[in-house]
Amino acid sequence: MAAVDAGPVDWVTLTPGGGLEDGAACTGRSRLGGDRAPEGGSTLSYADPAVAVLDEIDRPTRDRTRVSVIGDDGDRIG
């Protein structure tokens, strides 16, 4: 991992923090946590983490780290 951290490539890994519900509608509402998913958060559809990935590509907020994506009843990330 140290070689990746020191290199010229910028990267981020987003992982669902749990609460994925099969068949749930995409809300487009999620929030980013740290390396470990914070407590709480609402249910995520399988599409919600995909929206979070696209938002992070369009408007990067993190780099060279792993973050969790959890459901949020508040505003859409980004």
Side-chain angles (χ1 to χ4, degrees):
M1 192 60 125
V4 173
D5 286 339
V9 176
D10 192 10
W11 59 272
V12 65
T13 302
L14 278 68
T15 56
L20 289 172
E21 185 176 310
D22 189 29
C26 179
T27 66
R29 296 179 185 275
S30 58
R31 60 186 163 119
L32 300 180
D35 190 35
R36 295 186 185 270
E39 295 295 321
S42 59
T43 301
L44 286 171
S45 72
Y46 280 87
D48 287 320
V51 171
V53 168
L54 295 175
D55 285 347
E56 188 64 23
I57 290 169
D58 286 343
R59 294 175 302 280
T61 61
R62 313 284 175 102
D63 62 343
R64 298 181 184 211
T65 191
R66 182 176 85 81
V67 296
S68 55
V69 180
I70 64 169
D72 189 8
D73 294 327
D75 294 330
R76 183 175 171 176
I77 63 171

